[in-house]
Amino acid sequence: MEILLLGTGSADGWPSPFCGCASCAAAQGNVRGQTAALVDQTLMLDCGPEAPRAAVRAGHTLKHVRHILFTHGHPDHVGPAALLFRHWADRAEPLDLVGPKEALDQCRDWVGPADLVRFLEVEPGDSVDLVSERGAYRVQVLEAAHPSVLGGGAVLYDVSRGSHRLLWATDTGPLPAGTHAAIAGAGFDAVFLEETFGNLRGHNAGHHDLESFPRTLAQLRESGAANAATEVVAVHLSHYNPPPNELAEILRGWGARAGADGEIMKLGQGDSQGAGAASRTLVLGGVRSGKSVHAEELLAAEPAVTYLATGGSGRDDPEWAARVELHQGRRPAAWRTAETVEIAELLRTATIPILLDCLGTWLTARIDLREAWDGGPIELVEEDMRELVAAWRACPARAVAVSNEVGSGVVPATASGRLFRDLLGKLNSQMAAESEQVVLVVAGIPVPLRG
Ligand SMILES: [Zn+2]
Ligand SMILES: [Zn+2]
């Protein structure tokens, strides 16, 4: 299957035409129109008013189109005038229009009396075979979580041709349970998952944001709908997202990427970025820089994660306990927490991704244990550090470690403060040397230092 992305933006696109926000400014020259795609030049996934021109601008034609699948009746997905343009072009081949009632009803008046157009009204649970001399497609109709205006619902499509299979999932919020069940084990070659609202929260669902998107992805991976070879492409993007380069970094951590208008994908060529593959990321940052949030975000699309909490439970320190509780509340229920400072063995034998938060508290605990604060045996702590770095290097699963960047502040007043600063600086350097990615988080913005 060959897929041409005709548009990868929300209804208003990105940049949004009348907007002057920082995200729109950053997206200039990187225009995303209304989301739609053309498969094998034959099958269209949504056809809003901008889609036909997008095809022509990308150097393609719609003359081979034999099937149009509409997800719902919102005006960025249904531009029925396209049917009149096709009529004017004297296209005599048959055409299937597939979609919920709400979408198809908008098309009926735009079809000429002699046009060979077949209306296939569908609802979730239906499956349809679409055949032309250009190929045969099997289409499963899935329920979307997207409020419809006119009645008739909104649907998503599971489309396969031969051994290739894709999921077209726009517009929708977190997928209904029935949809997850219907596509469990599908092992899609490509998933096009909408991510409309970026950093906006408290919107009336019906769309994903940067919190719900990775959770949906984790569920798709959990059920086998997506696997390590699945290409995950975010579409229906809007200016509620951070600037495109920052969004790209966030999506990369989830084994996903943003689609681009005019891009062509060939399925089954396996250039997926392989979420879950073993790699090490060190996340550095000052106090309250957002480093823990960023580290958690990096792993948010993994179905299961072991969280190594090295800070202890804070039994003696209510402020610390409150922070631990806040961290725990933020993490998905499927994450396992191991509260321990004996982490080397856990790193060496990991079978699922690990989040280690953080090296500073681990180091404090080791210095305590070795009674090395006041002129005690630092060599033993340094041995612990060597063992940790070796285990980090040997970790067979994906791993993310958080650490404090403490070296740039004032010189600590106490000897123990200076000892801690020096040892942590050393440990950070050693861990960084063994990490594929190193990130410094400043004011909530991750700055890549490596990878
Ligand atoms: Zn839309
Ligand atoms: Zn919509």
Side-chain angles (χ1 to χ4, degrees):
M1 280 167 118
E2 185 186 273
I3 298 145
L4 165 66
L5 291 177
L6 297 172
T8 57
S10 55
D12 50 346
W14 186 25
S16 167
F18 293 93
C19 185
C21 74
S23 170
C24 283
Q28 260 181 26
N30 191 0
V31 176
R32 287 186 161 85
Q34 297 168 347
T35 292
L38 177 62
V39 179
D40 302 329
Q41 300 191 54
T42 305
L43 182 147
M44 279 184 90
L45 292 162
D46 282 316
C47 181
E50 297 178 353
R53 190 86 52 230
V56 179
R57 279 195 211 285
H60 296 265
T61 168
L62 296 181
K63 69 182 179 188
H64 300 302
V65 170
R66 303 294 291 273
H67 326 283
I68 303 179
L69 276 54
F70 296 103
T71 52
H72 62 298
H74 285 164
D76 53 321
H77 297 262
V78 183
L83 299 167
L84 181 62
F85 307 156
R86 185 176 184 273
H87 174 85
W88 287 342
D90 294 324
R91 294 252 59 92
E93 303 86 351
L95 176 71
D96 297 318
L97 299 182
V98 182
K101 180 178 190 313
E102 164 195 355
L104 296 194
D105 282 352
Q106 296 180 51
C107 298
R108 294 186 195 275
D109 290 344
W110 295 86
V111 173
D115 293 344
L116 290 176
V117 174
R118 182 165 70 134
F119 287 82
L120 288 167
E121 207 172 291
V122 292
E123 49 185 53
D126 290 351
S127 72
V128 187
D129 287 307
L130 299 174
V131 183
S132 77
E133 70 285 354
R134 299 190 64 88
Y137 300 87
R138 162 136 280 227
V139 176
Q140 318 247 39
V141 185
L142 306 164
E143 186 188 352
H146 190 64
S148 85
V149 187
L150 311 163
V155 301
L156 311 173
Y157 292 108
D158 163 357
V159 180
S160 49
R161 176 184 184 176
S163 60
H164 292 312
R165 192 165 174 186
L166 68 83
L167 176 65
W168 184 250
T170 190
D171 299 350
T172 184
L175 304 178
T179 296
H180 275 297
I183 56 177
F188 289 110
D189 296 286
V191 167
F192 299 89
L193 183 61
E194 75 125 270
E195 196 290 291
T196 306
F197 276 133
N199 288 325
L200 189 71
R201 298 291 180 276
H203 50 83
N204 60 337
H207 290 290
H208 281 95
D209 53 41
L210 286 174
E211 195 173 296
S212 54
F213 180 92
R215 291 192 182 181
T216 293
L217 196 47
Q219 283 177 286
L220 293 174
R221 288 180 172 140
E222 176 90 73
S223 78
N227 56 38
T230 304
E231 240 188 292
V232 180
V233 180
V235 293
H236 212 268
L237 300 161
S238 86
H239 65 150
Y240 291 108
N241 281 285
N245 57 344
E246 288 176 36
L247 176 65
E249 275 303 305
I250 294 170
L251 293 173
R252 200 164 65 92
W254 301 336
R257 64 181 178 82
D261 290 28
E263 159 189 0
I264 293 177
M265 292 168 57
K266 287 191 168 54
L267 292 196
Q269 305 218 323
D271 56 346
S272 151
Q273 302 173 24
S279 82
R280 285 151 292 260
T281 306
L282 177 64
V283 180
L284 299 164
V287 174
R288 306 269 161 166
S289 58
K291 59 187 185 305
S292 290
V293 171
H294 177 67
E296 286 164 18
E297 200 176 74
L298 282 174
L299 293 171
E302 302 287 351
V305 172
T306 304
Y307 174 76
L308 297 182
T310 55
S313 59
R315 272 177 287 274
D316 313 324
D317 178 352
E319 193 193 323
W320 180 256
R323 288 185 60 182
V324 169
E325 207 170 295
L326 181 77
H327 279 227
Q328 277 169 353
R330 228 164 34 207
R331 291 191 295 271
W335 288 29
R336 278 199 332 236
T337 300
E339 266 176 30
T340 175
V341 291
E342 304 295 339
I343 52 182
E345 181 63 15
L346 291 172
L347 282 172
R348 276 193 295 265
T349 58
T351 53
I352 61 172
I354 283 194
L355 172 56
L356 166 52
D357 192 358
C358 70
L359 296 180
T361 50
W362 175 84
L363 182 62
T364 302
R366 296 317 290 190
I367 302 175
D368 280 345
L369 193 80
R370 303 300 192 186
E371 297 181 343
W373 285 115
D374 302 303
I378 291 178
E379 307 75 47
L380 292 179
V381 178
E382 287 181 326
E383 211 166 283
D384 291 341
M385 286 163 51
R386 275 193 295 277
E387 193 197 4
L388 176 67
V389 174
W392 176 250
R393 181 173 49 213
C395 182
R398 188 177 178 199
V400 176
V402 179
S403 191
N404 299 84
E405 182 49 44
V406 291
S408 354
V410 291
V411 177
T414 61
S416 57
R418 289 192 292 275
L419 172 73
F420 177 76
R421 179 200 61 181
D422 292 351
L423 285 177
L424 188 59
K426 211 178 204 179
L427 180 60
N428 284 350
S429 303
Q430 291 169 354
M431 292 287 281
E434 297 295 346
S435 299
E436 283 87 347
Q437 294 93 31
V438 182
V439 181
L440 176 65
V441 181
V442 184
I445 298 174
V447 183
L449 301 180
R450 173 189 292 164

